[in-house]
Amino acid sequence: MKKVCNLLTIVLGISLMMVGCKPKDEIQDPEALLEGYWQRANTNEYARFMRDNAETKDGYFLGYEWNEDDEVYEEDLWNISYHGNGWFEWFVTVGTKDNQLTQIHLMDNGGADIPKVYTIVTLTETTLRFTDGFKTRDYIKTTKP
Amino acid sequence: MKRFFKILGITLGSLLAVVIIAATVAIWWVFTPERLTPVARQVADKFITCNHELGNVDLTFFSTFPEFALRADGLYLINPMEGAQSDTLLAAPKVVAVVNVMEFLRNQNLIVRELSLPEVQANIFINEQGDNNFSVFVSSPDSTEEDTTAFSLPFQDIRVEGLQLTAPQLSFVDKKDSLSAQLTNTSIHGAVKGWDDVLLTLQSAAVSATLGDTQYANELQVGITLPAEVNLDSKHFVLHQAQVAINQFELGIDGVVDLQPDLAVDATIQTNNWQIEPLLALLPASITQSLQSFRLKGDIQLSAAAQLDMATNKSHVSIHQLDANVWHSSVSAKGEVDDVLNDLYLDMALDVNVPIRDVERWIPQDMQVTGAVKGNLAAKIKLADLTQMQLDKGHISGDLMLNDIHFQMDSMLANLDKMRLQFTLPNPTPSQKKVNWLAATLTMSPLAFEQTGSLTANIDESVLKVEAGNVLSDDPVLYASMNLSSKGQLVAKMDSMAATMQVPSLTAYAEYDTKDATHIPVFKASLDFDDLEGNYTDWLAHLEKSTLKASITGGKRNKSVPVMSAQITTTSLTASQGEDLAAKTGALSISAKARYNSKADQILLKWNPRLDVDLKDGRALLSSLPPLIEIPQMRFSYSNKDFVIDTSRIVLGNSDFCLSGEVKNIGKWLQKKDTLVGVLNFTSSRTDVNEFMEWFSADKGSEETEATAATDTITTSTSTSTEEANPFLVPTDVDLTLNTHIDETVVFNQNARNLGGRIYIQDGKLVLEEVGFICRAAKLQLTAMYRTPRRNHLYLGFDYHMLDVNIQELVNMVPDVVDMVPMLKSFKGDAEFHLAAETYLKANYEPKVSTLRGACSIFGKDLVVLDSETFTTISKLLMFNKKTENIVDSISAEITLYKDEIDVYPFCVSIDNYMAALGGRHNLDMSFDYHVNLLKPLYLGVDVTGTFDDLNIKLAPCRYAKDFRPLFHGKVDTQSAELRATIRNSMRRNVKIQ
């Protein structure tokens, strides 16, 4: 009896460990997959992730987003000589448990940098899903609108 | 008795018979022609030096009764001279000499009482050398020459006491003096009672005389009565009250006439009343030619003294009295006339009574003047200069009274009852170089002046001093200066302008080109007055005790472009323009210039004003600016190039401010060619920003064209139809900086005190830069920006830092912060607060949520937690002690705003015996998802979700232990802390206040 109990305990422990050790899905070169235009599902909200080395700052990449449902257009972000509202710096952190997309949103007046850390749920050549624990966003790869 | 007469008669008859018988015997037997003729011829030979012929001489008695006379049947004197008009000096068909027989019988003196030469023809000649053909008589025996002739005169002396000559033709030629004269049907009577008592009378039906090339007489009827003293040797004649009558013109002469060496006259002259027209007809054309255009009519009477010397070519007339009535005018003159025969020079004093129509000739053709002039004139001028209107070459002055004057020139009219005119020409002391022709002073009764269709003016009794350039010259430009002063009032109206002035004193200078109407006249004036009320179109003005200076000229390059300047110095000004402007001032000094540009549209570009203003106690009400503008003091200068405010204090609406500084490029900015640049310093005790934004909004966004501005519309959330909003758009061509210090300001619904900083408009941005002020919180710094790229894409952002803040005051000041940090409602105490936020807005200022960005960093200490429903619920759950005040050691929270997501980064609170951490998501729809971790005395987690009205609380695993108090020994998870540090540091980098 004692051995049976010990054996069950070992099997249970191993089982629990295996569950805890479920390996994550691996994403190859997430920056390359993110690069380009993305449209949020069922909206006219767009985001562009760029990897132009000339715009790299502190190892971050640059990107921008806009929402045409709010009467904001892509050219509005290019009509000023600096990167502000609508622009963000981004990088991907590949972790053991998950991959994180960090966006540091910029402001026109430079008053603050607004960090947003998302967990990448799905990232393929055509789809993107990430969440911040409160809200999940889905994007579809698109061409320049 | 009868017997007596009979005896007497017989006696006289006998005597008479004896006389007759004696005479008959003497005539027929004693003094026969055969006996007398030789004797007479011998006498002639004795006394006449030239060739001569004497006819038979006989003695007459009965034909010359009661005188005996010698009668010669002809006397001819032949004295040829080269160049003479005839060889015959004298041709007398008959010569009768009435002789004094008794003198001859007693004293053997041949006294010819009267020598009669009827039907004589004489030709008197003087050659160029002065030799004459009439020196043929021996005046006295030559005692040095021995008389060798056998003849001896039968009388001791021969003397002619009288002459009676009639001549159908007499000729006189003086080659030496270029003088010639012909007399037709002339009778000469001479009586000589000694050479010092000679009476000569001459009557000639037609006299013609020529001097040089000028004919001075043409068949004039001449009568001369000439009592004189005569010296034939020296050709010296003294006239005693001689009378000369030429036609109807009588002339009395007293004086001396010399014929050697040349004609010389020194005489007084007195005329009867001469009619001018026939008189002018007598004068040579060389004299009257210049007067022909006058068409003179009237009469003249002269009393004068004349001197003439042909040897020196000098001539002078002293006019003792000259009375002339010409047309309707009368003139009395006295003076001197020099060089009469050549370039006549007048030095005259005249008393005149002249209707102005009589002197129209001297008035410019385009000027009509009526009325009458009475007074005196003085002139020193050549006649030629006078007739040619070259008046400035002489000297003319006058003191005249003008009555009932009506003046008209072009469209100008003036009426005047009475005026005293004192003038001098030329102007002896011209105030300016161009007005050197005339100086005049006019003392006037009330004057009415009108320029038809434009200007009317009426002035009370006044004095006008005028200086003028030569209005009679060929120069088309008229020059004039004037000074007009009155102790009454002046009323003037021109087009839509009118003015009434009390006690005016006007000094002016003008130039007017009469030929070129496109040239702007030059007009410079200075006006002083006690009071002025004026209006121009819908402008009204009232000035007290003021001085106005104004000028208008043509441009230097283009005289048809008006350049104006004006200066006003007044003790008080009240002005209004219709419903648009009303203004009132205390002491005011304005200097203004303007240059008109017809091609420009905007009023400032059209007039290019330059303005200097010094104002005290001003008030203005503009229709485009609702509130009353009060200006206690202002001093500034303006031009389209720059606008400099030395000092100004203005009260406008709810605001008051002092403004100084400079703004440049106004003109180019109005033309859209350059940027309006300026730095102004603004201090105020109170400023209402909302009012200013309402007044000064632009028409389009900084990145809009006119087309896009018209089509950039917004669809409202409540309607499918487009609706144009009209937001405030920041102009892009303005670079203005306003350094401010405001004691109190109202912005939207906030009040702030001691606001200072820099506000500027640049590149289409309106920026409040590092403005610090003190509100109910403590130290505060604000940087705000408002941009308008598109009418429907407006930017508003601010960066707000508050140090030493009282949280309760903070909540009251920024209620929206409670939306982000609701629990702040439950706290009071001191804090440090940083807030940065921005968004883009629609035209109706509705935020575009997708562009919302913000961050907030709060650090508080010694905070007191108030009772609140929410916190009470939590405290019950966590079983806090119920105390009225619980101190929170510290609280440090970082909050971000991204679109509609407010993230409260986990922060830790120590209260009572508990330590708790809190964090989560707050949405703009007021829903939230917070997680509260109890870290002391035990680890416990609670999820608080939903809304305040629908709260949902449930237990949950601890999420934040790793951030503040790890469950197991280990390092605090730094990611959250790093993110919070990123936020906090990014916000503090802009803090300038300490």
Side-chain angles (χ1 to χ4, degrees), chain B residues 397-429:
Chain B
S397 63
D399 188 345
L400 305 170
M401 267 322 265
L402 288 78
N403 297 295
D404 299 323
I405 299 299
H406 174 78
F407 166 88
Q408 184 170 354
M409 179 175 177
D410 293 331
S411 57
M412 291 187 285
L413 296 169
N415 290 297
L416 192 63
D417 287 338
K418 192 181 293 185
M419 177 174 74
R420 180 179 181 184
L421 170 62
Q422 297 163 290
F423 69 91
T424 303
L425 196 156
N427 185 355
T429 54

Coordinates of all heavy atoms in Angstrom, one line a residue, chain B residues 397-429:
Chain B
S397 N 2.6 149.3 -54.8 CA 2.0 149.1 -53.5 C 0.7 149.8 -53.5 O 0.4 150.6 -54.4 CB 2.9 149.6 -52.4 OG 3.1 151.0 -52.5
G398 N -0.1 149.4 -52.6 CA -1.5 150.0 -52.6 C -2.1 149.8 -51.2 O -1.8 148.9 -50.5
D399 N -3.1 150.6 -51.0 CA -4.0 150.5 -49.8 C -5.4 150.8 -50.3 O -5.7 152.0 -50.6 CB -3.5 151.5 -48.7 CG -4.3 151.3 -47.4 OD1 -5.3 150.6 -47.4 OD2 -3.8 151.8 -46.4
L400 N -6.1 149.8 -50.5 CA -7.4 149.9 -51.2 C -8.5 149.4 -50.3 O -8.3 148.5 -49.5 CB -7.4 149.1 -52.5 CG -6.2 149.4 -53.5 CD1 -6.2 148.4 -54.6 CD2 -6.4 150.8 -54.0
M401 N -9.7 150.0 -50.5 CA -10.9 149.4 -49.9 C -11.7 148.8 -51.1 O -12.0 149.5 -52.1 CB -11.7 150.5 -49.3 CG -11.5 150.8 -47.9 SD -11.3 149.5 -46.8 CE -12.9 149.2 -46.3
L402 N -12.1 147.6 -50.9 CA -12.9 146.9 -51.9 C -14.3 146.7 -51.3 O -14.4 146.3 -50.2 CB -12.3 145.6 -52.3 CG -11.0 145.6 -53.1 CD1 -9.8 145.9 -52.3 CD2 -10.8 144.2 -53.8
N403 N -15.2 147.0 -52.1 CA -16.6 146.9 -51.7 C -17.4 146.0 -52.6 O -17.1 146.0 -53.8 CB -17.3 148.3 -51.6 CG -16.6 149.2 -50.6 OD1 -16.6 148.9 -49.4 ND2 -16.0 150.2 -51.1
D404 N -18.3 145.3 -52.1 CA -19.2 144.4 -52.8 C -18.5 143.5 -53.8 O -18.7 143.5 -55.0 CB -20.2 145.3 -53.7 CG -21.0 146.2 -52.8 OD1 -21.4 145.7 -51.7 OD2 -21.3 147.4 -53.1
I405 N -17.5 142.8 -53.2 CA -16.7 141.9 -54.1 C -17.3 140.6 -54.3 O -17.8 139.9 -53.5 CB -15.3 141.7 -53.4 CG1 -14.6 143.0 -53.1 CG2 -14.4 140.8 -54.2 CD1 -14.3 143.8 -54.4
H406 N -17.3 140.3 -55.6 CA -17.7 138.9 -56.0 C -16.6 138.4 -56.9 O -16.2 139.0 -57.9 CB -19.0 139.0 -56.8 CG -19.4 137.7 -57.4 ND1 -20.0 136.7 -56.7 CD2 -19.2 137.1 -58.7 CE1 -20.2 135.6 -57.4 NE2 -19.7 135.8 -58.6
F407 N -16.0 137.3 -56.4 CA -14.8 136.6 -57.1 C -15.3 135.3 -57.6 O -16.0 134.5 -57.0 CB -13.7 136.5 -56.0 CG -12.6 135.6 -56.5 CD1 -11.5 136.1 -57.2 CD2 -12.6 134.2 -56.2 CE1 -10.5 135.3 -57.6 CE2 -11.6 133.4 -56.6 CZ -10.5 133.9 -57.3
Q408 N -14.8 135.0 -58.9 CA -15.1 133.7 -59.5 C -13.9 133.3 -60.3 O -13.4 134.0 -61.1 CB -16.3 133.8 -60.3 CG -16.7 132.4 -60.9 CD -18.1 132.4 -61.5 OE1 -18.8 133.4 -61.5 NE2 -18.5 131.4 -62.2
M409 N -13.4 132.1 -60.0 CA -12.3 131.5 -60.8 C -12.5 130.0 -60.9 O -12.6 129.4 -59.9 CB -11.0 131.8 -60.2 CG -9.8 131.3 -60.9 SD -8.2 131.8 -60.2 CE -7.1 130.9 -61.2
D410 N -12.6 129.5 -62.2 CA -13.0 128.1 -62.4 C -14.3 127.9 -61.6 O -15.3 128.5 -61.9 CB -11.8 127.2 -62.0 CG -10.6 127.4 -62.8 OD1 -10.8 127.7 -64.0 OD2 -9.5 127.1 -62.3
S411 N -14.2 127.0 -60.7 CA -15.4 126.7 -59.9 C -15.4 127.4 -58.6 O -16.3 127.1 -57.8 CB -15.5 125.2 -59.8 OG -14.4 124.7 -59.1
M412 N -14.5 128.3 -58.4 CA -14.5 129.0 -57.1 C -15.3 130.3 -57.1 O -15.2 131.0 -58.0 CB -13.0 129.3 -56.7 CG -12.2 128.0 -56.4 SD -10.5 128.4 -55.8 CE -9.7 128.9 -57.3
L413 N -16.0 130.5 -56.0 CA -16.8 131.7 -55.9 C -16.5 132.3 -54.5 O -16.3 131.5 -53.5 CB -18.3 131.4 -56.0 CG -18.8 130.9 -57.3 CD1 -20.2 130.4 -57.1 CD2 -18.8 131.9 -58.3
A414 N -16.5 133.6 -54.4 CA -16.4 134.2 -53.1 C -17.1 135.5 -53.1 O -17.1 136.3 -54.1 CB -14.9 134.5 -52.8
N415 N -17.8 135.8 -52.0 CA -18.5 137.1 -51.9 C -18.1 137.8 -50.6 O -18.0 137.1 -49.5 CB -20.1 136.8 -51.8 CG -20.6 136.3 -53.2 OD1 -20.5 137.1 -54.1 ND2 -21.0 135.1 -53.2
L416 N -18.0 139.1 -50.7 CA -17.4 139.8 -49.6 C -18.0 141.2 -49.6 O -18.0 141.9 -50.6 CB -15.9 139.9 -49.8 CG -15.0 140.4 -48.6 CD1 -15.2 139.5 -47.4 CD2 -13.6 140.4 -49.1
D417 N -18.5 141.7 -48.5 CA -19.1 143.1 -48.4 C -18.0 144.1 -48.5 O -18.1 145.1 -49.3 CB -19.9 143.2 -47.2 CG -21.2 142.5 -47.2 OD1 -21.7 142.2 -48.3 OD2 -21.7 142.2 -46.1
K418 N -17.0 143.9 -47.7 CA -16.0 145.0 -47.6 C -14.6 144.3 -47.3 O -14.6 143.4 -46.5 CB -16.4 145.9 -46.5 CG -15.6 147.2 -46.4 CD -16.0 148.1 -45.3 CE -17.5 148.6 -45.5 NZ -17.9 149.5 -44.4
M419 N -13.6 144.9 -47.9 CA -12.3 144.3 -47.6 C -11.3 145.4 -47.8 O -11.3 146.2 -48.8 CB -12.0 143.2 -48.5 CG -10.6 142.6 -48.4 SD -10.4 141.1 -49.3 CE -10.2 141.8 -51.0
R420 N -10.3 145.5 -46.9 CA -9.2 146.4 -47.0 C -8.0 145.6 -47.5 O -7.7 144.6 -46.9 CB -8.9 147.1 -45.7 CG -7.7 148.1 -45.9 CD -7.4 148.8 -44.6 NE -6.3 149.8 -44.8 CZ -5.7 150.5 -43.8 NH1 -6.2 150.3 -42.6 NH2 -4.7 151.3 -44.1
L421 N -7.5 146.1 -48.6 CA -6.4 145.4 -49.2 C -5.1 146.3 -49.2 O -5.1 147.3 -49.8 CB -6.7 145.0 -50.7 CG -5.5 144.5 -51.5 CD1 -5.0 143.2 -51.0 CD2 -6.0 144.2 -53.0
Q422 N -4.1 145.8 -48.5 CA -2.9 146.4 -48.5 C -1.9 145.5 -49.2 O -1.8 144.3 -48.7 CB -2.4 146.8 -47.1 CG -3.4 147.8 -46.4 CD -3.2 147.8 -44.9 OE1 -3.5 146.9 -44.2 NE2 -2.7 148.9 -44.4
F423 N -1.2 145.9 -50.2 CA -0.3 145.0 -50.9 C 1.0 145.7 -51.3 O 1.1 146.9 -51.4 CB -1.0 144.4 -52.1 CG -1.2 145.3 -53.2 CD1 -0.3 145.5 -54.2 CD2 -2.4 146.1 -53.2 CE1 -0.5 146.4 -55.3 CE2 -2.6 147.0 -54.3 CZ -1.7 147.1 -55.3
T424 N 2.0 144.9 -51.5 CA 3.3 145.3 -52.0 C 3.8 144.3 -53.0 O 3.7 143.1 -52.8 CB 4.3 145.4 -50.9 OG1 3.8 146.3 -49.9 CG2 5.6 146.0 -51.4
L425 N 4.3 144.8 -54.1 CA 4.7 144.0 -55.2 C 6.0 144.5 -55.7 O 6.0 145.7 -56.2 CB 3.6 143.9 -56.3 CG 3.6 142.8 -57.3 CD1 2.2 142.6 -57.8 CD2 4.5 143.2 -58.4
P426 N 7.1 143.8 -55.8 CA 7.3 142.5 -55.3 C 7.3 142.4 -53.7 O 7.3 143.4 -53.1 CB 8.6 142.1 -55.8 CG 9.4 143.3 -55.9 CD 8.4 144.4 -56.3
N427 N 7.3 141.2 -53.2 CA 7.2 140.9 -51.8 C 8.6 141.2 -51.2 O 9.6 140.6 -51.6 CB 6.8 139.4 -51.6 CG 6.7 139.1 -50.1 OD1 6.9 139.9 -49.3 ND2 6.3 137.9 -49.9
P428 N 8.7 142.2 -50.4 CA 10.0 142.6 -49.9 C 10.6 141.5 -48.9 O 11.8 141.4 -48.8 CB 9.8 143.9 -49.2 CG 8.3 143.9 -48.8 CD 7.6 143.1 -49.8
T429 N 9.8 140.8 -48.2 CA 10.3 139.8 -47.2 C 9.5 138.5 -47.4 O 8.7 138.2 -46.5 CB 10.1 140.4 -45.8 OG1 8.8 140.8 -45.6 CG2 11.0 141.6 -45.6

